[in-house]
Amino acid sequence: MLTVNENFLKLPGNYLFAEIANRISAYKAENPEKNLISLSIGDATRPLSPAVITAMHKAVDEMGTIEGFHGYGPGEGYAFLRETIRDKAYLPLGVDISVDEIFISDGAKSDCGNIGDILGPDNAVAVCDPVYPVYVDTNAMAGRAGDYDGTRWTDIIYMPCNEANGFMPELPVRKPDMIYLCFPNNPTGTAATKSQLKLWVDYALKNGALILFDAAYEAYITEEGIPHSIYEIEGAKECAIEFRSFSKTAGFTGNRCAYTVVPMDLKFGGASLNKLWDRRQCTKFNGVPYVVQRAAEAVYSDQGMKEAREIIDYYMNNAKLIRHGLKNAGLTVYGGVNSPYVWIKTPAGADSWGFFDKLLYGAGVAVTPGAGFGPEGEGFIRLTGFGDAELTKQAVERIIAIL
Ligand code: PLP
C-alpha cells in the first residue's frame, strides 16, 4: 500500500498567516464600515517599471515569430541573463563569479527549499530565531528537523536573535552542517557587517559546514560598508551558496524570477555542489519563461536600474516613516534602515498577538506578530514598508493615536 512522506504529517498548520487571516476576517465582519490598512505581508505593491514592461512586450512579440520563438530554455537559465548578473550584480562588488556558477530560477523560496535535495538527510541544520519559516519547514519535510514539540523542532539548532545580541546570531554550541543566514534579515531588518559575516565564513570553513545565504533584500541596503553578497568575504566561495531574487529588487513577486550562486569551489566529500545542483535543476526544472528572463535582464539596464532604485526608495521611505513615527511615539524600534521591515517591541510587555489585536481593533491596522517567526519573536511585531505611501502614513498616525 502507498505510504506518504510522514515528515509532512509532523508539520504544524501554517498557523501564522492562517491565524492573521482569521482575525482580520472576524474584525471585518464586526466592523464592515471600517477601512483596514495592512502593513502585514511582505509583498510588492508598486507596478513593474517601464523598462521592464518594454522588455516584456518586446519578448512577447518575439515569441510570436518563427525566428524569435523560444521553447524549453536551458534549465540553468539563458546565457544573456547569467552574463548580465555576473557583470552587473557581482563585478561592481569586486566579486568574480563565473556564468556557470549562476542558476536562474522561479524564486528564492523554491531554491532555499529545493537546495536540500542535494544535501544529506542527516545534516544538522542551524537557523536564526526568529526566522523566515521556509528554511525550517523544508528541512522538516526532508526529515532533518526531528519532531515538533509545539514550539520548536527537536533536531534543529536554533540561534536566538534578540535585543541582547543585536539580533545577530552567535556561533552555536552544537555544530551544524547547514547554516541558514539571511541578511538584511526578514523579519528583524538587521544587516550584517563584513566582520560579522567573516566570523561565519571562518567558522564554516573550520568546521566543514555550508552557509546558505539568503540575500533576497540586498538591494535595500542603504548604509555604506555593509556587504551585499557573502562573496565579498574572503573564503566564502568555499563554504557558501547565495540566494538572490528579483521579487523585492524589482517587484517580481508575481513575475517569478530569482537566482542562486553555487560556486565551483564548493566541494564536500569529493562532490561538487555545483554539479549536483545543475543535475537537480536540469532534472526537475525546465527554466523560467523567456519573457520573464528578458524582463529580469532589463532590470540591469541603466534605465531599469534607475527605475528599480526609485521603487526601492519608495518602499524605504515608508519604512523610514514607520520607524521615525513609532520611535517618536515612544516605541522601541529596529530595522527599516537597510531593510523594508521594521521590527517593533510591543509596549509594556504585551505579547505579540495581544498587541496585534490592539492595533487591529484600536487602530484598524494589521501587522505581523513576531511570535509567528519563532519563540524569540515573542514581544515584537513586524511592519512592512511594502505598502502604499499615503496608507502607510495614515496607519502610523492611527497607531500613534492609540498608544
Ligand atoms: N527569502 C526571504 C527572506 C523572503 O522574505 C522571501 C519572501 O518574502 C523570499 C526569500 C522569497 O523570494 P521569492 O519571491 O524569490 O521566492
Side-chain angles (χ1 to χ4, degrees):
M1 201 181 85
L2 178 93
T3 57
V4 298
N5 178 346
E6 292 194 3
N7 295 318
F8 279 65
L9 306 179
K10 297 181 187 174
L11 288 164
N14 191 350
Y15 173 73
L16 177 62
F17 289 103
E19 185 59 24
I20 291 175
N22 285 344
R23 292 192 189 204
I24 288 177
S25 299
Y27 167 82
K28 282 184 172 164
E30 290 164 37
N31 301 277
E33 75 296 344
K34 295 251 173 76
N35 141 39
L36 178 79
I37 303 175
S38 176
L39 297 183
S40 179
I41 291 179
D43 192 2
T45 53
R46 304 303 296 162
L48 291 171
S49 78
V52 167
I53 289 297
T54 304
M56 288 183 90
H57 279 299
K58 184 162 170 275
V60 168
D61 288 342
E62 275 181 63
M63 290 289 279
T65 65
I66 290 281
E67 318 75 53
F69 173 74
H70 285 76
Y72 292 129
E76 301 93 347
Y78 284 104
F80 65 78
L81 181 55
R82 299 169 89 194
E83 284 163 12
T84 302
I85 289 168
R86 176 197 59 195
D87 297 344
K88 298 289 179 78
Y90 286 106
L91 274 183
L93 301 176
V95 173
D96 184 14
I97 295 287
S98 69
V99 163
D100 47 10
E101 294 174 315
I102 300 167
F103 295 85
I104 312 300
S105 78
D106 64 349
K109 185 180 199 176
S110 338
D111 285 358
C112 287
N114 292 335
I115 200 73
D117 277 12
I118 65 165
L119 304 171
D122 298 325
N123 286 321
V125 175
V127 297
C128 293
D129 173 14
V131 69
Y132 177 55
V134 173
Y135 317 142
V136 175
D137 288 5
T138 54
N139 277 294
M141 290 170 181
R144 291 191 197 95
D147 295 304
Y148 188 64
D149 69 9
T151 314
R152 292 182 175 84
W153 290 87
T154 50
D155 291 351
I156 295 269
I157 301 165
Y158 290 90
M159 305 183 292
C161 295
N162 46 38
E163 283 183 297
N165 58 25
F167 304 100
M168 204 41 73
E170 282 150 37
L171 300 174
V173 178
R174 203 179 119 215
K175 283 204 177 85
D177 304 300
M178 296 159 58
I179 304 163
Y180 287 85
L181 295 177
C182 171
F183 292 111
N185 188 263
N186 174 17
T188 67
T190 316
T193 62
K194 271 199 176 141
S195 57
Q196 284 167 328
L197 282 188
K198 184 175 180 321
L199 211 67
W200 284 99
V201 169
D202 291 347
Y203 176 83
L205 289 172
K206 184 164 161 244
N207 293 291
L210 174 68
I211 295 174
L212 297 146
F213 191 76
D214 188 340
Y217 297 96
E218 61 80 24
Y220 287 82
I221 293 172
T222 59
E223 288 181 320
E224 291 287 321
I226 301 284
H228 285 245
S229 164
I230 190 141
Y231 303 120
E232 291 180 62
I233 314 300
E234 204 187 327
K237 280 193 194 164
E238 287 141 58
C239 66
I241 287 176
E242 178 162 291
F243 305 99
R244 284 188 171 201
S245 175
F246 291 93
S247 283
K248 307 297 161 70
T249 309
F252 273 44
T253 48
N255 243 7
R256 309 309 302 145
C257 195
Y259 55 95
T260 288
V261 176
V262 188
M264 292 296 176
D265 291 346
L266 280 179
K267 301 244 167 68
F268 289 85
S272 154
L273 293 194
N274 180 285
K275 294 277 166 304
L276 299 187
W277 184 243
D278 197 9
R279 186 76 171 85
R280 191 262 169 218
Q281 289 299 82
C282 292
T283 302
K284 291 194 177 180
F285 181 59
N286 254 340
V288 175
Y290 174 73
V291 174
V292 173
Q293 293 194 54
R294 281 294 181 199
E297 181 192 28
V299 173
Y300 291 111
S301 66
D302 290 347
Q303 187 59 22
M305 292 218 281
K306 186 174 156 278
E307 291 168 0
R309 193 68 252 162
E310 283 164 11
I311 297 175
I312 291 166
D313 289 347
Y314 178 97
Y315 293 140
M316 284 306 285
N317 266 337
N318 289 343
K320 199 169 162 185
L321 208 106
I322 298 170
R323 194 163 53 89
H324 285 315
L326 298 187
K327 196 172 170 198
N328 289 342
L331 292 182
T332 307
V333 172
Y334 299 96
V337 176
N338 294 303
S339 148
Y341 295 118
V342 188
W343 189 239
I344 296 165
K345 195 169 175 181
T346 59
D351 65 73
S352 294
W353 280 108
F355 196 50
F356 171 94
D357 283 337
K358 181 170 172 173
L359 294 181
L360 183 62
Y361 282 88
V365 176
V367 300
T368 306
F373 296 100
E376 286 288 325
E378 182 53 275
F380 287 86
I381 54 162
R382 189 196 73 176
L383 267 67
T384 142
F386 285 118
D388 172 84
E390 180 50 38
L391 291 178
T392 302
K393 188 164 157 265
Q394 282 178 30
V396 171
E397 285 164 2
R398 287 189 196 178
I399 295 174
I400 292 172
I402 64 150
L403 283 176

